[in-house]
Coordinates of all heavy atoms in Angstrom, one line a residue:
A9 N 7.0 21.2 -9.8 CA 7.1 22.6 -9.4 C 8.1 23.4 -10.3 O 9.2 22.9 -10.5 CB 7.6 22.7 -8.0
Y10 N 7.6 24.4 -10.9 CA 8.5 25.4 -11.7 C 8.5 26.7 -11.1 O 7.5 27.5 -11.3 CB 8.1 25.3 -13.1 CG 8.9 26.0 -14.2 CD1 8.6 26.1 -15.6 CD2 10.0 26.8 -13.9 CE1 9.3 26.7 -16.5 CE2 10.8 27.5 -14.8 CZ 10.4 27.4 -16.0 OH 11.1 28.0 -17.0
N11 N 9.5 26.9 -10.3 CA 9.6 28.2 -9.6 C 8.3 28.4 -8.7 O 7.6 29.5 -8.8 CB 9.7 29.6 -10.6 CG 11.1 29.7 -11.0 OD1 12.0 29.3 -10.3 ND2 11.3 30.3 -12.1
E12 N 8.0 27.5 -7.9 CA 6.9 27.5 -7.0 C 7.2 27.7 -5.5 O 6.2 27.4 -4.6 CB 6.0 26.3 -7.3 CG 5.5 26.1 -8.7 CD 4.3 26.9 -9.0 OE1 3.9 27.9 -8.4 OE2 3.8 26.7 -10.1
A13 N 8.4 28.0 -5.2 CA 8.7 28.1 -3.8 C 7.8 28.9 -2.8 O 7.5 28.5 -1.8 CB 10.3 28.6 -3.5
D40 N 11.3 19.3 -9.2 CA 11.6 20.8 -9.5 C 12.0 20.8 -10.9 O 12.6 19.8 -11.5 CB 12.6 21.3 -8.5 CG 12.7 22.9 -8.5 OD1 11.9 23.4 -9.2 OD2 13.7 23.4 -8.0
C41 N 11.7 21.9 -11.6 CA 12.1 22.0 -13.0 C 13.5 22.3 -13.1 O 14.2 23.0 -12.1 CB 11.4 23.4 -13.6 SG 11.6 23.6 -15.4
D42 N 14.2 21.9 -14.1 CA 15.7 22.2 -14.2 C 16.1 23.6 -14.5 O 17.2 24.0 -14.4 CB 16.3 21.3 -15.3 CG 15.4 21.1 -16.6 OD1 14.4 21.8 -16.5 OD2 15.9 20.7 -17.6
K43 N 14.9 24.4 -14.9 CA 15.0 25.8 -15.1 C 14.7 26.6 -13.8 O 14.6 27.8 -13.9 CB 14.3 26.1 -16.4 CG 14.7 25.5 -17.6 CD 14.3 26.3 -18.8 CE 13.6 25.3 -19.8 NZ 12.4 25.8 -20.5
S44 N 14.2 26.0 -12.7 CA 13.7 26.9 -11.7 C 15.0 27.7 -11.0 O 16.1 27.2 -11.1 CB 13.2 26.0 -10.5 OG 12.0 25.5 -10.9
T45 N 14.6 28.8 -10.5 CA 15.7 29.7 -10.1 C 15.5 30.1 -8.6 O 16.2 31.0 -8.1 CB 15.8 31.0 -11.0 OG1 14.5 31.5 -11.1 CG2 16.3 30.8 -12.4
D46 N 14.4 29.4 -8.0 CA 14.1 29.9 -6.5 C 14.7 28.9 -5.6 O 15.5 28.1 -6.0 CB 12.6 30.2 -6.4 CG 11.8 28.9 -6.6 OD1 12.5 27.8 -6.8 OD2 10.6 29.0 -6.7
N47 N 14.2 29.0 -4.3 CA 14.8 28.1 -3.4 C 14.0 27.0 -3.0 O 13.8 26.6 -1.8 CB 15.1 28.9 -2.0 CG 13.9 29.7 -1.4 OD1 12.8 29.8 -2.2 ND2 13.7 29.9 -0.3
T48 N 13.3 26.4 -4.0 CA 12.4 25.2 -3.8 C 13.2 24.1 -2.9 O 12.5 23.6 -2.2 CB 12.1 24.5 -5.2 OG1 11.2 25.6 -5.8 CG2 11.0 23.4 -5.0
E50 N 15.4 24.3 -0.6 CA 15.4 24.6 0.8 C 14.0 24.4 1.4 O 13.9 23.9 2.5 CB 15.9 26.1 1.0 CG 17.4 26.3 0.8 CD 17.8 26.1 -0.6 OE1 17.1 26.6 -1.5 OE2 18.9 25.7 -0.8
Y59 N 13.3 15.8 -2.6 CA 13.5 16.8 -3.7 C 14.2 16.1 -4.7 O 15.3 15.8 -4.6 CB 14.2 18.0 -3.1 CG 14.6 19.0 -4.2 CD1 13.7 20.0 -4.5 CD2 15.9 19.0 -4.7 CE1 14.1 20.9 -5.4 CE2 16.3 19.9 -5.7 CZ 15.3 20.9 -6.0 OH 15.7 21.8 -7.0

Side-chain angles (χ1 to χ4, degrees):
Y10 185 175
N11 279 336
E12 301 281 10
D40 199 4
C41 185
D42 47 351
K43 293 196 232 141
S44 287
T45 49
D46 64 9
N47 63 335
T48 296
E50 286 70 33
Y59 171 90

